[in-house]
Amino acid sequence: MSAGSTTAAQGRFRFTEWALTAMPSTALRYVGKCLTCMERSKDQSDPDVAQLWCLKHAGRTHHSGYELTLVQQFNATVAAPPATPAVAVQKVPVSDELAVALARYRERLPPEQFLSGQLTSEVAAIYGRESGALPQATELAERRESGALPQATELAERCRELLDDEDGEGFVVLQLAGLQDAAGSTAAFTRAVTALLALVATPLSVLKSQRLWNATDATAGAIPLHLEIPNSTWPPDYCAYLCVRADLNGQGRSLVSNSRRAVSRLGHCEAEVLSHQRYKIGPLRDLVGVGVEWPSFPVIDGMATQGGYVRFAPNMVNDSDTQDPYARATRSLEAELITGQRKVQLDAGDLLIVNQHLCCYGREPLGEGPADVPGGEEQLVLRSFLRRQGPPLSSGK
């Protein structure tokens, strides 16, 4: 049995963000822990008693690795951290020329048709062709617009580069205010955006009861960082968030955090716990295009970066038991996600696309006064999903 390092107090604090004062509340205690199953002994005043628990546990389970830790609980007075300004995120502009072309030609697109949740290959091809290589024009005005045609393909390629770069951000923001103005209505706007997204990947509907574009949570509270549909065997590859109306109070910034980098900052034992199939959230019904429900799933599924996911959701565990290793590991991951999050102020017409293999998404609160915002003027962000070509690289169960 190997003894762990002896410390006077356990826990990690980021003193650049939190101001705290600590006062010991108990005497020094000893805890034995199995490094295989993470089971822990009760706090003991005698180290021999804690070590004896480890030996008994080894005899019962045949687990070989153990840690004996000296701990001291303490009370901490925490002050709220200062407000964190939004880190400037480089948005990709879309030319007025391309916006007008997309708005014009979305009128000739066929109705959306789905097969197993994905836009059918025939319709998806038309959407991509119409937006990226518009048909030959005969009228002079249309020929002038044809100068925008290569821009759509180049824009889609640039999006894929930014989204799939494992050393990059894992997300991209497009400025489509010009397209929103040219489209004239929300229905026309989303239809034109769908055509543009079809060049990046295949539009995906995940529930039989939902449309391709659906409003995100419109309540005033925050939306914690999370992976969309983490308890399916094949979550969407990309998520698209389209800001139709910005918050009048300037609140409700979108949050994106690189989940892979957050995992890399965890300790080995925490990462090991997160790989166990012990996490659950509420059941899903009428799933389509995302595999089947995975009732108990791992947060870290062990698949390759561009095939697997960090399946984080804040409601996966009941964290009322502070000694539960699964709850502690989840909260450690959440803390790292929050530390590394980027804050993006979405303006009307902005389109945020997130690679779910690399990132989690969330939103800050809308702030005070959302109930006073006139009807039809509150923040409206629509969400849609995308699927890359090919079978799932993460098999789930």
Short mmCIF file of all heavy atoms in Angstrom, two decimals, residues 137-178:
data_model
loop_
_atom_site.label_atom_id
_atom_site.label_comp_id
_atom_site.label_asym_id
_atom_site.label_seq_id
_atom_site.Cartn_x
_atom_site.Cartn_y
_atom_site.Cartn_z
N ALA A 137 -27.29 32.31 -64.11
CA ALA A 137 -28.27 33.40 -64.17
C ALA A 137 -28.27 34.00 -65.57
O ALA A 137 -27.25 34.05 -66.25
CB ALA A 137 -27.92 34.47 -63.15
N THR A 138 -29.41 34.48 -65.98
CA THR A 138 -29.53 35.08 -67.31
C THR A 138 -29.74 36.58 -67.22
O THR A 138 -29.32 37.31 -68.12
CB THR A 138 -30.69 34.46 -68.08
OG1 THR A 138 -31.89 34.59 -67.33
CG2 THR A 138 -30.42 32.97 -68.33
N GLU A 139 -30.38 37.02 -66.14
CA GLU A 139 -30.61 38.45 -66.01
C GLU A 139 -29.35 39.14 -65.50
O GLU A 139 -28.54 38.56 -64.76
CB GLU A 139 -31.76 38.71 -65.04
CG GLU A 139 -33.09 38.12 -65.54
CD GLU A 139 -34.21 38.40 -64.56
OE1 GLU A 139 -33.96 39.15 -63.60
OE2 GLU A 139 -35.30 37.87 -64.76
N LEU A 140 -29.19 40.39 -65.89
CA LEU A 140 -27.99 41.12 -65.52
C LEU A 140 -27.82 41.21 -64.00
O LEU A 140 -26.72 41.01 -63.48
CB LEU A 140 -28.03 42.53 -66.13
CG LEU A 140 -26.84 43.44 -65.81
CD1 LEU A 140 -25.56 42.80 -66.33
CD2 LEU A 140 -27.04 44.83 -66.41
N ALA A 141 -28.91 41.48 -63.28
CA ALA A 141 -28.83 41.60 -61.83
C ALA A 141 -28.35 40.30 -61.19
O ALA A 141 -27.54 40.30 -60.27
CB ALA A 141 -30.19 42.00 -61.26
N GLU A 142 -28.87 39.18 -61.72
CA GLU A 142 -28.46 37.90 -61.17
C GLU A 142 -27.01 37.61 -61.50
O GLU A 142 -26.29 37.00 -60.70
CB GLU A 142 -29.38 36.79 -61.69
CG GLU A 142 -30.80 36.89 -61.15
CD GLU A 142 -31.67 35.76 -61.65
OE1 GLU A 142 -31.31 35.15 -62.66
OE2 GLU A 142 -32.70 35.49 -61.01
N ARG A 143 -26.55 38.02 -62.65
CA ARG A 143 -25.15 37.80 -62.98
C ARG A 143 -24.24 38.61 -62.06
O ARG A 143 -23.16 38.16 -61.69
CB ARG A 143 -24.90 38.18 -64.45
CG ARG A 143 -25.41 37.12 -65.43
CD ARG A 143 -24.68 37.25 -66.77
NE ARG A 143 -24.94 38.55 -67.41
CZ ARG A 143 -25.95 38.76 -68.24
NH1 ARG A 143 -26.81 37.80 -68.52
NH2 ARG A 143 -26.11 39.96 -68.79
N ARG A 144 -24.69 39.80 -61.69
CA ARG A 144 -23.90 40.58 -60.74
C ARG A 144 -23.81 39.85 -59.40
O ARG A 144 -22.77 39.85 -58.76
CB ARG A 144 -24.52 41.97 -60.55
CG ARG A 144 -24.26 42.91 -61.72
CD ARG A 144 -24.48 44.35 -61.27
NE ARG A 144 -25.84 44.58 -60.81
CZ ARG A 144 -26.82 45.01 -61.60
NH1 ARG A 144 -26.58 45.23 -62.88
NH2 ARG A 144 -28.03 45.21 -61.12
N GLU A 145 -24.91 39.22 -58.99
CA GLU A 145 -24.90 38.50 -57.72
C GLU A 145 -24.00 37.27 -57.78
O GLU A 145 -23.51 36.80 -56.74
CB GLU A 145 -26.33 38.06 -57.36
CG GLU A 145 -27.22 39.20 -56.93
CD GLU A 145 -28.64 38.74 -56.67
OE1 GLU A 145 -28.86 37.52 -56.76
OE2 GLU A 145 -29.49 39.57 -56.39
N SER A 146 -23.75 36.74 -58.97
CA SER A 146 -22.96 35.51 -59.07
C SER A 146 -21.54 35.70 -58.55
O SER A 146 -20.85 34.72 -58.28
CB SER A 146 -22.92 35.03 -60.52
OG SER A 146 -22.21 35.95 -61.34
N GLY A 147 -21.10 36.96 -58.42
CA GLY A 147 -19.78 37.18 -57.85
C GLY A 147 -19.69 36.72 -56.40
O GLY A 147 -18.60 36.53 -55.88
N ALA A 148 -20.84 36.53 -55.73
CA ALA A 148 -20.84 36.09 -54.33
C ALA A 148 -20.77 34.58 -54.20
O ALA A 148 -20.58 34.06 -53.10
CB ALA A 148 -22.11 36.60 -53.63
N LEU A 149 -20.92 33.86 -55.31
CA LEU A 149 -21.03 32.41 -55.22
C LEU A 149 -19.84 31.73 -54.57
O LEU A 149 -20.02 30.89 -53.68
CB LEU A 149 -21.27 31.82 -56.62
CG LEU A 149 -22.46 32.41 -57.39
CD1 LEU A 149 -22.70 31.62 -58.65
CD2 LEU A 149 -23.70 32.42 -56.52
N PRO A 150 -18.60 32.03 -54.95
CA PRO A 150 -17.48 31.34 -54.31
C PRO A 150 -17.37 31.65 -52.82
O PRO A 150 -16.79 30.87 -52.07
CB PRO A 150 -16.26 31.87 -55.08
CG PRO A 150 -16.80 32.41 -56.36
CD PRO A 150 -18.17 32.93 -56.03
N GLN A 151 -17.91 32.78 -52.39
CA GLN A 151 -17.78 33.17 -51.00
C GLN A 151 -18.45 32.18 -50.05
O GLN A 151 -17.96 31.94 -48.95
CB GLN A 151 -18.38 34.56 -50.79
CG GLN A 151 -17.66 35.67 -51.53
CD GLN A 151 -18.26 37.02 -51.22
OE1 GLN A 151 -18.74 37.26 -50.12
NE2 GLN A 151 -18.26 37.90 -52.21
N ALA A 152 -19.57 31.61 -50.46
CA ALA A 152 -20.29 30.68 -49.58
C ALA A 152 -19.46 29.43 -49.32
O ALA A 152 -19.35 28.97 -48.17
CB ALA A 152 -21.64 30.31 -50.20
N THR A 153 -18.88 28.87 -50.37
CA THR A 153 -18.05 27.69 -50.20
C THR A 153 -16.82 28.01 -49.36
O THR A 153 -16.43 27.23 -48.48
CB THR A 153 -17.62 27.14 -51.58
OG1 THR A 153 -18.80 26.82 -52.32
CG2 THR A 153 -16.76 25.91 -51.42
N GLU A 154 -16.18 29.14 -49.63
CA GLU A 154 -15.01 29.53 -48.86
C GLU A 154 -15.37 29.75 -47.39
O GLU A 154 -14.61 29.38 -46.48
CB GLU A 154 -14.41 30.80 -49.44
CG GLU A 154 -13.80 30.62 -50.83
CD GLU A 154 -13.39 31.94 -51.46
OE1 GLU A 154 -13.55 32.97 -50.77
OE2 GLU A 154 -12.94 31.93 -52.61
N LEU A 155 -16.54 30.35 -47.16
CA LEU A 155 -16.99 30.59 -45.79
C LEU A 155 -17.21 29.27 -45.06
O LEU A 155 -16.81 29.11 -43.90
CB LEU A 155 -18.27 31.42 -45.81
CG LEU A 155 -18.88 31.75 -44.44
CD1 LEU A 155 -17.92 32.60 -43.62
CD2 LEU A 155 -20.22 32.47 -44.61
N ALA A 156 -17.84 28.31 -45.71
CA ALA A 156 -18.09 27.00 -45.10
C ALA A 156 -16.78 26.29 -44.78
O ALA A 156 -16.63 25.68 -43.71
CB ALA A 156 -18.96 26.15 -46.01
N GLU A 157 -15.83 26.36 -45.69
CA GLU A 157 -14.54 25.72 -45.45
C GLU A 157 -13.83 26.38 -44.27
O GLU A 157 -13.20 25.69 -43.44
CB GLU A 157 -13.67 25.82 -46.71
CG GLU A 157 -14.17 24.96 -47.87
CD GLU A 157 -13.36 25.17 -49.14
OE1 GLU A 157 -12.50 26.08 -49.14
OE2 GLU A 157 -13.58 24.42 -50.10
N ARG A 158 -13.93 27.70 -44.18
CA ARG A 158 -13.32 28.40 -43.05
C ARG A 158 -13.98 27.99 -41.74
O ARG A 158 -13.29 27.80 -40.72
CB ARG A 158 -13.46 29.91 -43.27
CG ARG A 158 -12.89 30.77 -42.14
CD ARG A 158 -11.42 30.52 -41.94
NE ARG A 158 -10.84 31.38 -40.93
CZ ARG A 158 -9.75 31.08 -40.24
NH1 ARG A 158 -9.12 29.94 -40.45
NH2 ARG A 158 -9.29 31.92 -39.34
N CYS A 159 -15.28 27.82 -41.75
CA CYS A 159 -16.00 27.38 -40.55
C CYS A 159 -15.51 26.01 -40.09
O CYS A 159 -15.26 25.78 -38.90
CB CYS A 159 -17.50 27.34 -40.81
SG CYS A 159 -18.29 28.96 -40.88
N ARG A 160 -15.39 25.08 -41.03
CA ARG A 160 -14.93 23.75 -40.67
C ARG A 160 -13.52 23.77 -40.11
O ARG A 160 -13.19 23.04 -39.17
CB ARG A 160 -15.01 22.82 -41.88
CG ARG A 160 -16.44 22.37 -42.21
CD ARG A 160 -16.43 21.24 -43.22
NE ARG A 160 -15.92 21.68 -44.52
CZ ARG A 160 -16.68 22.13 -45.51
NH1 ARG A 160 -17.99 22.23 -45.33
NH2 ARG A 160 -16.15 22.50 -46.65
N GLU A 161 -12.66 24.61 -40.68
CA GLU A 161 -11.30 24.72 -40.17
C GLU A 161 -11.30 25.20 -38.71
O GLU A 161 -10.58 24.66 -37.87
CB GLU A 161 -10.49 25.69 -41.03
CG GLU A 161 -10.18 25.18 -42.44
CD GLU A 161 -9.50 26.24 -43.29
OE1 GLU A 161 -9.33 27.37 -42.78
OE2 GLU A 161 -9.16 25.94 -44.44
N LEU A 162 -12.09 26.22 -38.42
CA LEU A 162 -12.14 26.77 -37.07
C LEU A 162 -12.80 25.79 -36.10
O LEU A 162 -12.37 25.65 -34.95
CB LEU A 162 -12.89 28.10 -37.08
CG LEU A 162 -12.20 29.24 -37.83
CD1 LEU A 162 -13.13 30.44 -37.92
CD2 LEU A 162 -10.90 29.63 -37.14
N LEU A 163 -13.84 25.13 -36.54
CA LEU A 163 -14.58 24.22 -35.67
C LEU A 163 -13.77 22.99 -35.29
O LEU A 163 -13.81 22.52 -34.15
CB LEU A 163 -15.89 23.79 -36.33
CG LEU A 163 -16.98 24.85 -36.44
CD1 LEU A 163 -18.09 24.36 -37.36
CD2 LEU A 163 -17.54 25.18 -35.06
N ASP A 164 -13.01 22.44 -36.25
CA ASP A 164 -12.36 21.15 -36.04
C ASP A 164 -10.90 21.27 -35.62
O ASP A 164 -10.23 20.25 -35.44
CB ASP A 164 -12.44 20.31 -37.32
CG ASP A 164 -13.88 19.96 -37.69
OD1 ASP A 164 -14.74 20.02 -36.79
OD2 ASP A 164 -14.14 19.65 -38.86
N ASP A 165 -10.40 22.48 -35.45
CA ASP A 165 -9.02 22.68 -35.03
C ASP A 165 -8.90 22.36 -33.54
O ASP A 165 -9.39 23.10 -32.69
CB ASP A 165 -8.59 24.12 -35.30
CG ASP A 165 -7.13 24.37 -34.95
OD1 ASP A 165 -6.45 23.41 -34.53
OD2 ASP A 165 -6.68 25.52 -35.07
N GLU A 166 -8.23 21.25 -33.22
CA GLU A 166 -8.12 20.82 -31.83
C GLU A 166 -7.26 21.76 -31.00
O GLU A 166 -7.32 21.74 -29.77
CB GLU A 166 -7.57 19.39 -31.76
CG GLU A 166 -8.51 18.37 -32.40
CD GLU A 166 -7.97 16.95 -32.36
OE1 GLU A 166 -7.02 16.72 -31.58
OE2 GLU A 166 -8.48 16.09 -33.09
N ASP A 167 -6.46 22.57 -31.65
CA ASP A 167 -5.65 23.56 -30.94
C ASP A 167 -6.31 24.93 -30.92
O ASP A 167 -5.74 25.89 -30.39
CB ASP A 167 -4.27 23.68 -31.59
CG ASP A 167 -3.46 22.39 -31.49
OD1 ASP A 167 -3.56 21.73 -30.44
OD2 ASP A 167 -2.75 22.06 -32.45
N GLY A 168 -7.49 25.03 -31.52
CA GLY A 168 -8.20 26.30 -31.60
C GLY A 168 -9.30 26.40 -30.57
O GLY A 168 -9.26 25.77 -29.51
N GLU A 169 -10.33 27.18 -30.90
CA GLU A 169 -11.41 27.45 -29.97
C GLU A 169 -12.49 26.37 -29.98
O GLU A 169 -13.16 26.13 -28.99
CB GLU A 169 -12.06 28.81 -30.30
CG GLU A 169 -11.11 30.00 -30.16
CD GLU A 169 -10.91 30.41 -28.72
OE1 GLU A 169 -11.44 29.73 -27.83
OE2 GLU A 169 -10.21 31.41 -28.49
N GLY A 170 -12.72 25.76 -31.15
CA GLY A 170 -13.80 24.77 -31.26
C GLY A 170 -15.15 25.39 -31.53
O GLY A 170 -16.17 24.71 -31.46
N PHE A 171 -15.18 26.70 -31.83
CA PHE A 171 -16.45 27.35 -32.17
C PHE A 171 -16.16 28.51 -33.11
O PHE A 171 -15.01 28.95 -33.25
CB PHE A 171 -17.20 27.84 -30.93
CG PHE A 171 -16.54 28.99 -30.21
CD1 PHE A 171 -16.88 30.31 -30.50
CD2 PHE A 171 -15.60 28.75 -29.21
CE1 PHE A 171 -16.27 31.37 -29.84
CE2 PHE A 171 -14.99 29.81 -28.53
CZ PHE A 171 -15.33 31.12 -28.85
N VAL A 172 -17.22 29.01 -33.75
CA VAL A 172 -17.08 30.14 -34.66
C VAL A 172 -18.36 30.96 -34.59
O VAL A 172 -19.44 30.42 -34.33
CB VAL A 172 -16.82 29.64 -36.11
CG1 VAL A 172 -17.99 28.83 -36.63
CG2 VAL A 172 -16.55 30.81 -37.05
N VAL A 173 -18.23 32.28 -34.77
CA VAL A 173 -19.38 33.18 -34.78
C VAL A 173 -19.42 33.90 -36.12
O VAL A 173 -18.44 34.56 -36.51
CB VAL A 173 -19.30 34.21 -33.63
CG1 VAL A 173 -20.53 35.11 -33.66
CG2 VAL A 173 -19.17 33.53 -32.28
N LEU A 174 -20.52 33.75 -36.83
CA LEU A 174 -20.71 34.43 -38.11
C LEU A 174 -21.64 35.63 -37.91
O LEU A 174 -22.63 35.54 -37.19
CB LEU A 174 -21.33 33.49 -39.15
CG LEU A 174 -20.57 32.20 -39.45
CD1 LEU A 174 -21.31 31.41 -40.54
CD2 LEU A 174 -19.15 32.48 -39.89
N GLN A 175 -21.33 36.72 -38.57
CA GLN A 175 -22.18 37.91 -38.52
C GLN A 175 -23.11 37.91 -39.73
O GLN A 175 -22.68 38.16 -40.85
CB GLN A 175 -21.31 39.17 -38.50
CG GLN A 175 -20.49 39.34 -37.23
CD GLN A 175 -19.61 40.57 -37.26
OE1 GLN A 175 -18.83 40.77 -38.19
NE2 GLN A 175 -19.74 41.41 -36.24
N LEU A 176 -24.38 37.63 -39.48
CA LEU A 176 -25.36 37.48 -40.55
C LEU A 176 -26.46 38.53 -40.47
O LEU A 176 -27.57 38.30 -40.95
CB LEU A 176 -25.98 36.08 -40.50
CG LEU A 176 -25.00 34.90 -40.65
CD1 LEU A 176 -25.74 33.58 -40.47
CD2 LEU A 176 -24.31 34.95 -42.00
N ALA A 177 -26.16 39.68 -39.88
CA ALA A 177 -27.18 40.73 -39.77
C ALA A 177 -27.65 41.18 -41.15
O ALA A 177 -28.83 41.47 -41.36
CB ALA A 177 -26.63 41.91 -38.98
N GLY A 178 -26.73 41.23 -42.10
CA GLY A 178 -27.12 41.62 -43.45
C GLY A 178 -28.07 40.62 -44.08
O GLY A 178 -29.03 41.00 -44.77
#
